[in-house]
Amino acid sequence: FTHHEILAQKGDIIYMFTDGYADQFGGPRGRKFMSSQLKQHIVSMFDLSMNEQKERLDKLFIDWQGDLEQIDDVTVIGIKL
């Protein structure tokens, strides 16, 4: 393990997620969502309320998945300080 210290301030948001979201197949070509795309979406909506972010991520996942089966557990946690 490596020890890391992160300076955080009130209002900062910390996100953690499993690989289940990023590994989900879907979209127009049936490909993986990818963690880079997930990070882009999270950054693009940081100014929304936590509830609005949850709703958008839920909809995004369902729309991406389409008719394909969910392949893994999906966990996304956002903590606003």
Side-chain angles (χ1 to χ4, degrees), residues 4-19:
H4 295 277
E5 289 187 29
I6 299 171
L7 298 177
Q9 300 176 19
K10 183 176 181 174
D12 287 350
I13 305 172
I14 300 169
Y15 299 93
M16 297 175 283
F17 49 88
T18 61
D19 62 350

Side-chain angles (χ1 to χ4, degrees), residues 46-63:
F46 80 95
D47 57 339
L48 300 176
S49 73
M50 298 304 285
N51 193 46
E52 289 174 306
Q53 290 182 39
K54 178 200 178 303
E55 290 173 9
R56 285 202 184 178
L57 286 173
D58 286 347
K59 183 176 181 346
L60 181 62
F61 185 82
I62 290 167
D63 290 348

Side-chain angles (χ1 to χ4, degrees), residues 18-77:
T18 61
D19 62 350
Y21 200 117
D23 286 348
Q24 179 61 46
F25 290 100
R29 294 192 239 165
R31 295 190 175 181
K32 287 186 178 185
F33 191 82
M34 305 302 288
S35 60
S36 59
Q37 187 173 191
L38 177 56
K39 290 174 190 175
Q40 287 176 340
H41 282 282
I42 288 172
V43 168
S44 74
M45 61 183 180
F46 80 95
D47 57 339
L48 300 176
S49 73
M50 298 304 285
N51 193 46
E52 289 174 306
Q53 290 182 39
K54 178 200 178 303
E55 290 173 9
R56 285 202 184 178
L57 286 173
D58 286 347
K59 183 176 181 346
L60 181 62
F61 185 82
I62 290 167
D63 290 348
W64 179 264
Q65 181 181 352
D67 294 332
L68 298 177
E69 185 176 330
Q70 184 174 329
I71 61 166
D72 200 356
D73 62 297
V74 175
T75 303
V76 178
I77 298 172

